[in-house]
Protein backbone atom coordinates (compact mmCIF):
# COMPACT_ATOMS: atom_id res chain seq x y z
CA UNK A 1 0.00 0.00 0.00
CA UNK A 2 1.26 3.48 -0.83
CA UNK A 3 2.09 5.24 2.43
CA UNK A 4 1.97 8.66 0.79
CA UNK A 5 -1.24 10.58 1.23
CA UNK A 6 -2.98 11.61 -1.98
CA UNK A 7 -3.41 15.36 -1.89
CA UNK A 8 -3.92 18.28 -4.24
CA UNK A 9 -0.95 20.25 -2.90
CA UNK A 10 2.17 18.11 -3.19
CA UNK A 11 4.21 18.41 -6.39
CA UNK A 12 6.27 15.31 -7.05
CA UNK A 13 10.01 15.52 -7.59
CA UNK A 14 10.00 15.16 -11.39
CA UNK A 15 7.18 17.66 -11.80
CA UNK A 16 8.82 20.11 -9.37
CA UNK A 17 12.06 19.92 -11.33
CA UNK A 18 10.26 20.44 -14.63
CA UNK A 19 8.17 23.44 -13.64
CA UNK A 20 10.91 24.82 -11.40
CA UNK A 21 13.47 24.81 -14.21
CA UNK A 22 10.92 26.36 -16.56
CA UNK A 23 10.24 29.12 -14.05
CA UNK A 24 13.95 29.76 -13.51
CA UNK A 25 14.46 29.92 -17.29
CA UNK A 26 11.66 32.46 -17.60
CA UNK A 27 13.06 34.59 -14.77
CA UNK A 28 16.57 34.45 -16.27
CA UNK A 29 15.12 35.73 -19.59
CA UNK A 30 13.26 38.44 -17.69
CA UNK A 31 16.40 39.71 -15.94
CA UNK A 32 18.38 39.53 -19.16
CA UNK A 33 15.85 41.53 -21.16
CA UNK A 34 14.61 43.93 -18.49
CA UNK A 35 16.21 47.02 -20.07
CA UNK A 36 14.30 46.43 -23.32
CA UNK A 37 10.94 46.56 -21.60
CA UNK A 38 8.97 49.69 -20.70
CA UNK A 39 9.63 50.59 -17.05
CA UNK A 40 5.94 50.37 -16.29
CA UNK A 41 2.63 49.44 -17.81
CA UNK A 42 0.49 52.41 -18.67
CA UNK A 43 -2.74 50.46 -18.11
CA UNK A 44 -5.33 51.76 -15.68
CA UNK A 45 -6.56 49.67 -12.71
CA UNK A 46 -9.76 49.06 -14.67
CA UNK A 47 -7.89 47.71 -17.68
CA UNK A 48 -5.81 45.50 -15.40
CA UNK A 49 -8.94 44.16 -13.75
CA UNK A 50 -10.12 43.18 -17.22
CA UNK A 51 -6.82 41.44 -17.93
CA UNK A 52 -7.18 39.53 -14.67
CA UNK A 53 -10.78 38.58 -15.44
CA UNK A 54 -13.64 38.15 -13.09
CA UNK A 55 -13.56 34.39 -12.55
CA UNK A 56 -14.54 33.06 -9.17
CA UNK A 57 -12.21 30.90 -7.10
CA UNK A 58 -11.89 27.56 -8.94
CA UNK A 59 -13.62 24.68 -7.19
CA UNK A 60 -11.20 22.18 -8.62
CA UNK A 61 -7.53 22.99 -8.58
CA UNK A 62 -5.47 23.78 -11.67
CA UNK A 63 -2.08 22.38 -12.75
CA UNK A 64 0.82 24.16 -11.01
CA UNK A 65 2.97 24.35 -14.16
CA UNK A 66 0.24 26.09 -16.16
CA UNK A 67 -0.44 28.47 -13.31
CA UNK A 68 3.20 29.47 -12.99
CA UNK A 69 3.62 29.92 -16.74
CA UNK A 70 0.54 32.11 -17.13
CA UNK A 71 1.31 34.07 -13.97
CA UNK A 72 4.89 34.77 -15.08
CA UNK A 73 3.50 36.26 -18.27
CA UNK A 74 0.90 38.24 -16.34
CA UNK A 75 3.58 39.77 -14.09
CA UNK A 76 6.14 40.39 -16.81
CA UNK A 77 3.55 42.10 -19.02
CA UNK A 78 1.86 44.28 -16.40
CA UNK A 79 4.29 45.34 -13.68
CA UNK A 80 6.39 48.33 -12.83
CA UNK A 81 10.00 47.13 -12.87
CA UNK A 82 12.13 48.69 -10.17
CA UNK A 83 14.91 46.48 -11.56
CA UNK A 84 14.86 48.49 -14.82
CA UNK A 85 18.02 50.58 -15.35
CA UNK A 86 15.88 53.72 -15.81
CA UNK A 87 13.92 53.31 -12.58
CA UNK A 88 14.75 56.08 -10.09
CA UNK A 89 11.46 56.49 -8.23
CA UNK A 90 10.88 56.77 -4.49
CA UNK A 91 13.57 54.66 -2.76
CA UNK A 92 13.21 51.14 -4.04
CA UNK A 93 16.27 49.40 -5.32
CA UNK A 94 16.80 47.07 -8.20
CA UNK A 95 16.60 43.71 -6.45
CA UNK A 96 19.74 41.56 -6.36
CA UNK A 97 18.95 38.38 -8.33
CA UNK A 98 20.45 36.25 -5.57
CA UNK A 99 17.61 37.51 -3.39
CA UNK A 100 15.05 35.88 -5.68
CA UNK A 101 16.82 32.54 -5.34
CA UNK A 102 17.22 33.07 -1.61
CA UNK A 103 13.48 33.64 -1.21
CA UNK A 104 12.79 30.36 -3.03
CA UNK A 105 15.20 28.54 -0.76
CA UNK A 106 13.94 30.26 2.40
CA UNK A 107 10.32 29.45 1.73
CA UNK A 108 11.18 25.87 0.81
CA UNK A 109 12.72 25.25 4.23
CA UNK A 110 10.24 27.67 5.82
CA UNK A 111 11.81 28.18 9.25
CA UNK A 112 9.77 30.19 11.72
CA UNK A 113 12.39 32.68 12.88
CA UNK A 114 10.29 33.72 15.87
CA UNK A 115 11.79 31.04 18.10
CA UNK A 116 15.25 29.50 18.02
CA UNK A 117 13.92 25.98 18.47
CA UNK A 118 11.84 26.47 15.31
CA UNK A 119 14.70 27.90 13.26
CA UNK A 120 18.02 26.66 14.60
CA UNK A 121 20.33 27.72 11.77
CA UNK A 122 18.07 30.49 10.45
CA UNK A 123 18.23 32.27 13.83
CA UNK A 124 22.03 32.12 13.74
CA UNK A 125 22.02 33.44 10.17
CA UNK A 126 19.80 36.36 11.16
CA UNK A 127 22.09 37.08 14.11
CA UNK A 128 25.15 37.06 11.85
CA UNK A 129 23.37 39.26 9.29
CA UNK A 130 22.64 41.84 11.98
CA UNK A 131 26.23 41.73 13.20
CA UNK A 132 27.50 42.25 9.65
CA UNK A 133 25.10 45.14 9.05
CA UNK A 134 26.36 46.83 12.22
CA UNK A 135 29.99 46.32 11.18
CA UNK A 136 29.19 47.50 7.67
CA UNK A 137 27.91 50.91 8.76
CA UNK A 138 30.76 51.29 11.23
CA UNK A 139 29.08 50.84 14.61
CA UNK A 140 30.18 48.32 17.20
CA UNK A 141 29.29 44.73 16.25
CA UNK A 142 27.87 44.44 19.76
CA UNK A 143 24.78 46.31 18.55
CA UNK A 144 21.92 43.83 18.42
CA UNK A 145 18.69 44.02 16.54
CA UNK A 146 16.05 42.41 14.46
CA UNK A 147 15.06 42.26 10.82
CA UNK A 148 11.66 43.70 10.00
CA UNK A 149 9.62 44.37 6.87
CA UNK A 150 11.00 47.82 6.05
CA UNK A 151 11.71 51.36 7.16
CA UNK A 152 8.44 52.12 8.86
CA UNK A 153 8.63 48.99 10.96
CA UNK A 154 12.32 49.49 11.72
CA UNK A 155 11.60 53.00 13.01
CA UNK A 156 8.48 51.90 14.94
CA UNK A 157 10.46 49.11 16.59
CA UNK A 158 13.03 51.63 17.77
CA UNK A 159 10.42 54.22 18.81
CA UNK A 160 8.83 51.74 21.22
CA UNK A 161 12.22 50.68 22.58
CA UNK A 162 13.06 54.35 23.20
CA UNK A 163 9.82 54.78 25.11
CA UNK A 164 10.40 51.68 27.23
CA UNK A 165 13.89 52.93 28.06
CA UNK A 166 13.12 56.58 28.81
CA UNK A 167 9.49 56.85 29.88
CA UNK A 168 8.28 56.17 33.43
CA UNK A 169 8.29 52.39 33.96
CA UNK A 170 4.67 52.34 35.18
CA UNK A 171 3.53 53.06 31.61
CA UNK A 172 4.04 49.39 30.75
CA UNK A 173 1.33 48.42 33.22
CA UNK A 174 -0.83 51.49 33.52
CA UNK A 175 -0.62 53.01 30.06
CA UNK A 176 0.39 56.46 28.82
CA UNK A 177 -2.38 58.25 30.68
CA UNK A 178 -0.73 57.30 33.99
CA UNK A 179 2.01 59.84 33.25
CA UNK A 180 1.12 63.46 33.94
CA UNK A 181 3.87 64.64 31.58
CA UNK A 182 3.54 64.47 27.82
CA UNK A 183 6.33 62.44 26.22
CA UNK A 184 7.91 64.58 23.49
CA UNK A 185 9.71 63.53 20.31
CA UNK A 186 12.03 65.84 18.32
CA UNK A 187 12.83 65.45 14.65
CA UNK A 188 13.78 67.57 11.65
CA UNK A 189 10.91 68.78 9.55
CA UNK A 190 12.22 66.62 6.72
CA UNK A 191 11.51 63.39 8.66
CA UNK A 192 9.65 60.68 6.78
CA UNK A 193 5.98 60.31 7.63
CA UNK A 194 6.54 57.20 9.79
CA UNK A 195 6.95 59.54 12.75
CA UNK A 196 3.34 60.79 12.44
CA UNK A 197 2.09 57.24 12.28
CA UNK A 198 4.14 56.25 15.32
CA UNK A 199 2.98 59.20 17.43
CA UNK A 200 -0.66 58.60 16.56
CA UNK A 201 -0.74 54.80 16.67
CA UNK A 202 1.29 54.44 19.85
CA UNK A 203 -0.92 56.87 21.73
CA UNK A 204 1.38 59.91 22.00
CA UNK A 205 -0.66 62.09 19.69
CA UNK A 206 0.64 64.16 16.80
CA UNK A 207 1.01 67.18 19.11
CA UNK A 208 3.85 65.33 20.85
CA UNK A 209 6.10 65.82 17.81
CA UNK A 210 8.34 68.87 17.65
CA UNK A 211 9.19 69.42 13.98
CA UNK A 212 12.50 71.26 14.21
CA UNK A 213 13.20 73.61 11.30
CA UNK A 214 16.21 72.93 9.12
CA UNK A 215 19.21 75.23 8.59
CA UNK A 216 20.70 76.61 5.39
CA UNK A 217 22.13 73.17 4.57
CA UNK A 218 18.70 71.56 5.14
CA UNK A 219 19.96 69.78 8.25
CA UNK A 220 18.04 69.89 11.52
CA UNK A 221 18.92 73.16 13.25
CA UNK A 222 20.57 71.80 16.40
CA UNK A 223 20.47 75.13 18.20
CA UNK A 224 16.72 75.26 17.77
CA UNK A 225 16.53 71.63 18.83
CA UNK A 226 18.24 72.37 22.12
CA UNK A 227 16.18 75.48 22.71
CA UNK A 228 12.95 73.56 22.09
CA UNK A 229 13.99 70.85 24.54
CA UNK A 230 14.70 73.50 27.19
CA UNK A 231 11.33 75.16 26.56
CA UNK A 232 9.52 71.84 26.90
CA UNK A 233 11.28 71.05 30.16
CA UNK A 234 10.20 74.44 31.51
CA UNK A 235 6.62 73.66 30.52
CA UNK A 236 6.76 70.40 32.48
CA UNK A 237 6.83 68.03 29.49
CA UNK A 238 9.07 64.98 29.28
CA UNK A 239 11.38 64.95 26.26
CA UNK A 240 12.38 61.35 25.51
CA UNK A 241 13.46 60.88 21.91
CA UNK A 242 15.40 62.75 19.23
CA UNK A 243 15.32 61.44 15.67
CA UNK A 244 18.11 62.38 13.31
CA UNK A 245 17.98 61.47 9.65
CA UNK A 246 20.82 59.94 7.67
CA UNK A 247 19.53 60.57 4.16
CA UNK A 248 16.16 62.29 4.17
CA UNK A 249 13.57 60.85 1.85
CA UNK A 250 13.13 63.94 -0.33
CA UNK A 251 16.64 65.23 -0.86
CA UNK A 252 19.06 62.81 0.85
CA UNK A 253 20.40 65.27 3.45
CA UNK A 254 22.26 63.79 6.44
CA UNK A 255 21.75 65.65 9.73
CA UNK A 256 24.62 66.71 12.00
CA UNK A 257 24.51 63.42 13.87
CA UNK A 258 27.44 64.20 16.14
CA UNK A 259 25.77 67.42 17.29
CA UNK A 260 22.47 65.62 17.96
CA UNK A 261 24.30 62.91 19.91
CA UNK A 262 25.85 65.54 22.19
CA UNK A 263 22.45 67.12 22.88
CA UNK A 264 20.93 63.72 23.64
CA UNK A 265 23.72 62.99 26.07
CA UNK A 266 23.31 66.34 27.83
CA UNK A 267 19.55 65.87 28.32
CA UNK A 268 19.51 62.08 28.75
CA UNK A 269 17.41 61.46 25.64
CA UNK A 270 17.26 58.46 23.32
CA UNK A 271 19.07 59.15 20.05
CA UNK A 272 17.55 57.36 17.08
CA UNK A 273 18.86 57.63 13.51
CA UNK A 274 16.51 57.01 10.63
CA UNK A 275 19.08 55.70 8.18
CA UNK A 276 16.55 53.61 6.29
CA UNK A 277 17.82 54.98 3.00
CA UNK A 278 21.17 56.61 3.46
CA UNK A 279 23.16 54.91 6.16
CA UNK A 280 24.82 52.32 3.89
CA UNK A 281 26.71 55.27 2.38
CA UNK A 282 28.60 55.48 5.70
CA UNK A 283 30.75 52.69 4.25
CA UNK A 284 32.25 55.08 1.67
CA UNK A 285 35.63 56.29 2.99
CA UNK A 286 35.16 59.86 1.69
CA UNK A 287 31.80 60.14 3.46
CA UNK A 288 32.98 59.08 6.94
CA UNK A 289 32.94 62.69 8.15
CA UNK A 290 29.34 63.20 6.99
CA UNK A 291 28.18 60.24 9.09
CA UNK A 292 30.25 61.08 12.19
CA UNK A 293 28.10 60.45 15.24
CA UNK A 294 26.52 57.24 13.96
CA UNK A 295 28.35 55.30 16.66
CA UNK A 296 26.56 57.30 19.35
CA UNK A 297 23.06 56.28 18.30
CA UNK A 298 20.93 54.31 20.71
CA UNK A 299 19.09 52.87 17.72
CA UNK A 300 19.32 52.95 13.96
CA UNK A 301 16.87 52.04 11.19
CA UNK A 302 18.53 50.64 8.06
CA UNK A 303 16.75 49.10 5.09
CA UNK A 304 18.50 46.38 3.09
CA UNK A 305 15.64 46.73 0.58
CA UNK A 306 16.79 50.24 -0.22
CA UNK A 307 20.51 50.72 -0.70
CA UNK A 308 21.68 47.15 -0.12
CA UNK A 309 19.65 46.03 -3.14
CA UNK A 310 17.65 43.36 -1.33
CA UNK A 311 14.28 42.42 -2.78
CA UNK A 312 11.36 43.65 -0.67
CA UNK A 313 10.80 43.20 2.23
CA UNK A 314 13.86 43.77 4.39
CA UNK A 315 14.39 46.41 7.05
CA UNK A 316 16.52 46.30 10.17
CA UNK A 317 16.47 47.90 13.62
CA UNK A 318 19.86 48.08 15.29
CA UNK A 319 20.05 48.89 18.99
CA UNK A 320 23.21 49.78 20.88
CA UNK A 321 22.12 47.79 23.89
CA UNK A 322 19.84 44.99 22.66
CA UNK A 323 18.49 44.46 26.18
CA UNK A 324 16.20 47.42 25.43
CA UNK A 325 14.46 45.38 22.75
CA UNK A 326 13.91 42.47 25.12
CA UNK A 327 12.61 44.81 27.80
CA UNK A 328 10.17 46.25 25.30
CA UNK A 329 8.96 43.17 23.50
CA UNK A 330 9.52 40.08 25.63
CA UNK A 331 6.64 38.21 27.19
CA UNK A 332 6.45 34.63 28.32
CA UNK A 333 3.08 32.94 28.14
CA UNK A 334 3.01 29.41 29.57
CA UNK A 335 2.55 27.81 26.15
CA UNK A 336 6.00 29.06 25.05
CA UNK A 337 8.38 26.30 25.90
CA UNK A 338 11.56 28.06 24.76
CA UNK A 339 14.13 26.75 27.16
CA UNK A 340 17.71 27.72 27.83
CA UNK A 341 20.57 26.22 25.86
CA UNK A 342 23.80 25.06 27.47
CA UNK A 343 25.43 28.37 26.42
CA UNK A 344 22.78 30.44 28.17
CA UNK A 345 19.54 32.01 27.04
CA UNK A 346 18.23 31.02 23.65
CA UNK A 347 17.80 33.80 21.11
CA UNK A 348 14.14 34.07 20.22
CA UNK A 349 13.42 36.87 17.78
CA UNK A 350 9.79 37.16 18.88
CA UNK A 351 11.30 38.86 21.95
CA UNK A 352 13.00 41.52 19.82
CA UNK A 353 10.11 43.05 17.96
CA UNK A 354 6.43 43.20 17.15
CA UNK A 355 6.18 39.98 15.16
CA UNK A 356 5.60 36.54 16.58
CA UNK A 357 5.87 34.04 13.71
CA UNK A 358 8.52 35.39 11.41
CA UNK A 359 9.80 34.45 7.97
CA UNK A 360 13.41 33.96 6.97
CA UNK A 361 13.99 37.37 5.36
CA UNK A 362 17.56 37.31 6.67
CA UNK A 363 18.61 34.77 4.06
CA UNK A 364 18.40 37.09 1.06
CA UNK A 365 20.28 39.81 2.94
CA UNK A 366 22.91 37.39 4.27
CA UNK A 367 23.55 35.89 0.83
CA UNK A 368 23.71 39.26 -0.94
CA UNK A 369 26.15 40.60 1.68
CA UNK A 370 28.45 37.66 0.92
CA UNK A 371 27.97 37.65 -2.85
CA UNK A 372 28.71 41.38 -3.12
CA UNK A 373 31.13 41.78 -0.20
CA UNK A 374 31.89 45.10 1.47
CA UNK A 375 34.20 46.20 -1.38
CA UNK A 376 31.45 45.38 -3.86
CA UNK A 377 29.03 47.58 -1.94
CA UNK A 378 31.55 50.42 -1.74
CA UNK A 379 31.81 50.26 -5.54
CA UNK A 380 28.06 50.05 -6.17
CA UNK A 381 27.06 52.76 -3.71
CA UNK A 382 29.84 55.13 -4.89
CA UNK A 383 28.79 54.59 -8.50
CA UNK A 384 25.14 55.35 -7.66
CA UNK A 385 26.31 58.59 -6.04
CA UNK A 386 28.50 59.45 -9.06
CA UNK A 387 25.59 58.81 -11.42
CA UNK A 388 23.37 61.09 -9.38
CA UNK A 389 26.05 63.81 -9.51
CA UNK A 390 26.38 63.26 -13.25
CA UNK A 391 22.65 63.73 -13.75
CA UNK A 392 22.80 66.90 -11.68
CA UNK A 393 25.72 68.17 -13.74
CA UNK A 394 23.96 67.41 -17.04
CA UNK A 395 20.88 69.24 -15.77
CA UNK A 396 23.12 72.20 -14.90
CA UNK A 397 24.53 72.23 -18.42
CA UNK A 398 21.14 72.09 -20.10
CA UNK A 399 19.34 75.34 -20.93
CA UNK A 400 15.92 73.88 -20.13
CA UNK A 401 16.74 72.14 -16.85
CA UNK A 402 17.36 73.69 -13.47
CA UNK A 403 19.33 71.59 -10.98
CA UNK A 404 18.00 72.09 -7.45
CA UNK A 405 19.68 69.72 -4.95
CA UNK A 406 22.07 66.78 -4.93
CA UNK A 407 22.88 64.70 -1.85
CA UNK A 408 23.95 61.04 -1.62
CA UNK A 409 22.25 59.47 -4.65
CA UNK A 410 19.25 61.83 -4.82
CA UNK A 411 19.12 64.69 -7.31
CA UNK A 412 16.22 67.10 -7.71
CA UNK A 413 15.71 69.31 -10.73
CA UNK A 414 12.95 70.91 -12.75
CA UNK A 415 12.10 71.63 -16.33
CA UNK A 416 12.14 75.33 -17.21
CA UNK A 417 11.09 76.18 -20.79
CA UNK A 418 13.17 78.65 -22.71
CA UNK A 419 11.70 82.12 -23.20
CA UNK A 420 9.18 81.77 -20.41
CA UNK A 421 7.50 85.14 -20.23
CA UNK A 422 6.00 84.98 -16.75
CA UNK A 423 7.98 86.40 -13.86
CA UNK A 424 7.79 86.33 -10.06
CA UNK A 425 5.05 84.36 -8.35
CA UNK A 426 3.22 83.69 -11.62
CA UNK A 427 6.32 82.08 -13.06
CA UNK A 428 6.79 79.86 -9.99
CA UNK A 429 3.12 78.82 -10.08
CA UNK A 430 3.38 77.96 -13.75
CA UNK A 431 6.61 75.98 -13.25
CA UNK A 432 5.02 74.04 -10.39
CA UNK A 433 2.02 73.11 -12.53
CA UNK A 434 4.23 72.29 -15.49
CA UNK A 435 6.57 70.04 -13.51
CA UNK A 436 3.71 68.24 -11.78
CA UNK A 437 2.12 67.54 -15.19
CA UNK A 438 5.50 66.51 -16.52
CA UNK A 439 6.02 64.05 -13.68
CA UNK A 440 2.64 62.44 -14.41
CA UNK A 441 3.54 62.25 -18.08
CA UNK A 442 6.92 60.63 -17.33
CA UNK A 443 5.48 58.19 -14.78
CA UNK A 444 2.84 57.02 -17.25
CA UNK A 445 5.10 57.06 -20.28
CA UNK A 446 7.14 53.97 -19.40
CA UNK A 447 10.48 55.31 -20.70
CA UNK A 448 11.83 56.12 -17.24
CA UNK A 449 10.40 56.35 -13.74
CA UNK A 450 11.03 59.00 -11.13
CA UNK A 451 9.09 60.71 -8.36
CA UNK A 452 8.78 64.23 -6.96
CA UNK A 453 10.00 66.44 -4.14
CA UNK A 454 8.99 69.91 -3.03
CA UNK A 455 12.10 71.96 -2.31
CA UNK A 456 11.70 75.57 -1.13
CA UNK A 457 8.16 75.56 -2.58
CA UNK A 458 9.44 74.36 -5.96
CA UNK A 459 7.81 71.25 -7.41
CA UNK A 460 10.80 69.17 -8.49
CA UNK A 461 11.46 66.01 -10.40
CA UNK A 462 13.34 63.74 -8.03
CA UNK A 463 15.66 60.89 -8.99
CA UNK A 464 17.00 58.45 -6.43
CA UNK A 465 19.55 56.04 -7.85
CA UNK A 466 19.76 52.85 -5.82
CA UNK A 467 20.11 50.84 -8.96
CA UNK A 468 23.07 48.65 -9.90
CA UNK A 469 21.81 48.40 -13.51
CA UNK A 470 21.89 52.13 -14.29
CA UNK A 471 24.73 53.30 -16.54
CA UNK A 472 25.99 56.75 -17.61
CA UNK A 473 24.27 56.18 -20.93
CA UNK A 474 20.94 55.66 -19.14
CA UNK A 475 21.44 58.97 -17.37
CA UNK A 476 22.17 60.77 -20.64
CA UNK A 477 19.12 59.21 -22.28
CA UNK A 478 16.95 60.12 -19.29
CA UNK A 479 17.98 63.77 -19.54
CA UNK A 480 16.81 63.75 -23.16
CA UNK A 481 13.57 61.97 -22.21
CA UNK A 482 12.85 64.58 -19.53
CA UNK A 483 13.56 67.50 -21.84
CA UNK A 484 11.46 66.12 -24.70
CA UNK A 485 8.57 65.33 -22.37
CA UNK A 486 9.01 68.78 -20.79
CA UNK A 487 8.65 70.48 -24.18
CA UNK A 488 5.52 68.44 -25.00
CA UNK A 489 3.95 69.19 -21.64
CA UNK A 490 4.74 72.89 -21.91
CA UNK A 491 3.20 73.01 -25.39
CA UNK A 492 0.11 71.21 -24.14
CA UNK A 493 -0.30 73.62 -21.22
CA UNK A 494 0.25 76.64 -23.46
CA UNK A 495 -2.40 75.49 -25.92
CA UNK A 496 -4.83 74.99 -23.02
CA UNK A 497 -4.17 78.56 -21.89
CA UNK A 498 -5.01 80.02 -25.30
C1 LIG B 1 14.22 57.95 5.47
C2 LIG B 1 13.10 56.95 5.35
N1 LIG B 1 12.55 56.41 6.45
C3 LIG B 1 11.55 55.52 6.39
C4 LIG B 1 11.04 55.11 5.17
C5 LIG B 1 9.93 54.09 5.11
O1 LIG B 1 10.45 52.90 4.58
P1 LIG B 1 9.50 51.71 4.10
O2 LIG B 1 8.78 52.25 2.91
O3 LIG B 1 10.43 50.61 3.78
O4 LIG B 1 8.57 51.39 5.22
C6 LIG B 1 11.55 55.67 4.00
C7 LIG B 1 11.00 55.32 2.69
O5 LIG B 1 11.38 55.79 1.66
C8 LIG B 1 12.62 56.60 4.08
O6 LIG B 1 13.18 57.15 3.00
Amino acid sequence: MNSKRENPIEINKTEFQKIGYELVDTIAEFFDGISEKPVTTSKSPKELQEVLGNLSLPKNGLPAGELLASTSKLLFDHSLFNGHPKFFGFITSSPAPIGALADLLASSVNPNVGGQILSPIATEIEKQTIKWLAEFIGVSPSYGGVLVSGGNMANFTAFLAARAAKAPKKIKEEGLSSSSKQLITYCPKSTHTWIDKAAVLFGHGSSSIRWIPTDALNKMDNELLEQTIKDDLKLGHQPFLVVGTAGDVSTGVVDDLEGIAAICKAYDLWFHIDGAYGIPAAVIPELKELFKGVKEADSIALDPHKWLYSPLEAGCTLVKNPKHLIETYSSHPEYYNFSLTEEGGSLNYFEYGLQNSRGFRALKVWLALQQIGSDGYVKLISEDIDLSKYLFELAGNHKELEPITQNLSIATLRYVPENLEETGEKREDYLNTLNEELLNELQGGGEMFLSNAIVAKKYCLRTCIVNFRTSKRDIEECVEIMVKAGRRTHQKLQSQLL
Side-chain angles (χ1 to χ4, degrees):
M1 204 175 93
N2 189 347
S3 64
K4 284 202 175 161
R5 177 173 156 198
E6 273 301 311
N7 68 67
I9 191 167
E10 190 68 88
I11 300 175
N12 72 40
K13 181 178 157 190
T14 322
E15 177 73 357
F16 194 93
Q17 285 172 324
K18 181 173 173 294
I19 62 181
Y21 292 149
E22 276 168 14
L23 180 63
V24 168
D25 282 346
T26 321
I27 295 172
E29 288 293 332
F30 163 66
F31 282 143
D32 195 47
I34 196 165
S35 57
E36 308 307 319
K37 289 176 168 293
V39 186
T40 186
T41 170
S42 43
K43 293 204 170 71
S44 67
K46 195 156 181 291
E47 287 171 305
L48 291 172
Q49 284 150 23
E50 274 159 25
V51 171
L52 208 52
N54 201 14
L55 301 172
S56 43
L57 172 69
K59 192 163 162 50
N60 295 308
L62 301 166
E66 280 173 31
L67 285 171
L68 285 170
S70 60
T71 305
S72 304
K73 182 161 168 39
L74 184 71
L75 296 187
F76 296 150
D77 287 351
H78 301 292
S79 291
L80 174 146
F81 302 122
N82 41 39
H84 192 288
K86 291 192 174 76
F87 176 87
F88 314 129
F90 304 96
I91 310 181
T92 310
S93 61
S94 263
I98 199 167
L101 297 170
D103 271 350
L104 176 63
L105 180 58
S107 51
S108 304
V109 179
N110 200 33
N112 183 338
V113 199
Q116 188 163 42
I117 193 173
L118 301 170
S119 55
I121 192 65
T123 291
E124 295 307 320
I125 287 177
E126 178 154 346
K127 190 172 153 198
Q128 190 167 65
T129 306
I130 288 162
K131 183 170 158 276
W132 283 348
L133 290 175
E135 273 175 16
F136 181 74
I137 60 165
V139 299
S140 159
S142 63
Y143 272 68
V146 63
L147 292 188
V148 294
S149 58
N152 265 28
M153 289 304 293
N155 285 305
F156 291 167
T157 304
F159 183 96
L160 292 173
R163 182 170 86 186
K166 297 293 182 192
K169 297 292 168 248
K170 63 181 178 181
I171 279 182
K172 203 162 184 181
E173 222 170 275
E174 296 170 23
L176 277 180
S177 59
S178 67
S179 172
S180 56
K181 297 179 171 186
Q182 193 180 20
L183 292 166
I184 308 291
T185 301
Y186 304 82
C187 62
K189 77 174 196 318
S190 50
T191 307
H192 184 273
T193 171
W194 71 265
I195 192 76
D196 287 300
K197 251 191 184 172
V200 172
L201 294 177
F202 301 137
H204 294 233
S206 49
S207 70
S208 70
I209 306 175
R210 300 285 180 266
W211 297 95
I212 308 296
T214 44
D215 60 17
L217 298 170
N218 286 326
K219 294 173 189 272
M220 173 153 69
D221 185 325
N222 286 352
E223 270 178 36
L224 281 179
L225 167 67
E226 184 162 14
Q227 191 52 51
T228 314
I229 294 169
K230 282 184 185 160
D231 292 347
D232 278 327
L233 286 168
K234 266 194 214 138
L235 290 169
H237 296 312
Q238 181 170 359
F240 85 107
L241 164 67
V242 182
V243 178
T245 302
D248 91 84
V249 61
S250 288
T251 60
V253 168
V254 178
D255 284 324
D256 168 7
L257 304 172
E258 204 179 22
I260 301 173
I263 294 173
C264 287
K265 216 174 223 163
Y267 294 87
D268 189 25
L269 307 178
W270 184 279
F271 174 28
H272 172 68
I273 298 180
D274 179 3
Y277 154 57
I279 212 152
V283 76
I284 309 292
E286 302 83 66
L287 295 183
K288 289 269 181 277
E289 199 57 29
L290 183 66
F291 288 91
K292 223 167 156 199
V294 163
K295 287 188 175 113
E296 309 299 322
D298 293 298
S299 57
I300 299 170
L302 178 178
D303 274 1
H305 74 202
K306 294 191 168 67
W307 219 350
L308 298 180
Y309 315 100
S310 168
L312 295 158
E313 301 169 346
C316 176
T317 309
L318 291 171
V319 177
K320 188 173 224 160
N321 185 347
K323 94 169 194 283
H324 289 299
L325 289 178
I326 305 229
E327 281 171 10
T328 310
Y329 295 106
S330 182
S331 67
H332 289 276
E334 59 196 16
Y335 51 86
Y336 279 1
N337 168 30
F338 297 128
S339 54
L340 297 182
T341 62
E342 42 315 350
E343 295 117 37
S346 59
L347 174 64
N348 299 304
Y349 276 113
F350 82 89
E351 297 184 281
Y352 281 68
L354 289 134
Q355 271 186 285
N356 192 52
S357 289
R358 304 173 68 249
F360 192 11
R361 55 169 65 93
L363 189 64
K364 59 190 169 197
V365 182
W366 187 73
L367 284 173
L369 285 170
Q370 292 176 83
Q371 186 212 1
I372 299 163
S374 58
D375 280 358
Y377 275 110
V378 169
K379 173 177 154 50
L380 291 174
I381 293 171
S382 318
E383 285 172 0
D384 284 347
I385 295 173
D386 287 347
L387 287 169
S388 174
K389 287 183 176 161
Y390 185 49
L391 174 60
F392 194 70
E393 185 192 317
L394 291 183
N397 292 340
H398 201 292
K399 279 192 284 210
E400 292 160 80
L401 294 174
E402 179 187 339
I404 309 281
T405 62
Q406 199 292 319
N407 297 286
L408 299 183
S409 67
I410 299 181
T412 61
L413 57 140
R414 62 180 184 170
Y415 177 74
V416 181
E418 283 190 290
N419 310 320
L420 190 60
E421 278 167 17
E422 281 88 355
T423 53
E425 215 171 294
K426 247 181 146 185
R427 175 186 162 90
E428 286 307 304
D429 285 349
Y430 179 74
L431 287 176
N432 283 350
T433 310
L434 171 61
N435 280 278
E436 189 171 353
E437 282 279 317
L438 170 56
L439 180 76
N440 293 335
E441 164 101 8
L442 288 167
Q443 285 189 337
E447 287 183 282
M448 66 180 292
F449 197 93
L450 69 179
S451 47
N452 76 302
I454 311 287
V455 183
K457 299 198 184 142
K458 293 177 181 169
Y459 193 100
C460 298
L461 306 176
R462 169 189 168 285
T463 55
C464 176
I465 304 176
V466 282
N467 194 333
F468 56 88
R469 292 205 176 92
T470 305
S471 65
K472 273 183 108 169
R473 172 101 181 264
D474 287 309
I475 298 294
E476 287 154 10
E477 287 172 0
C478 283
V479 166
E480 285 311 306
I481 294 168
M482 285 189 271
V483 171
K484 277 189 190 146
R487 287 177 191 153
R488 279 198 306 275
T489 313
H490 175 52
Q491 253 173 21
K492 195 175 87 189
L493 284 184
Q494 292 296 308
S495 63
Q496 284 166 2
L497 288 174
L498 289 176

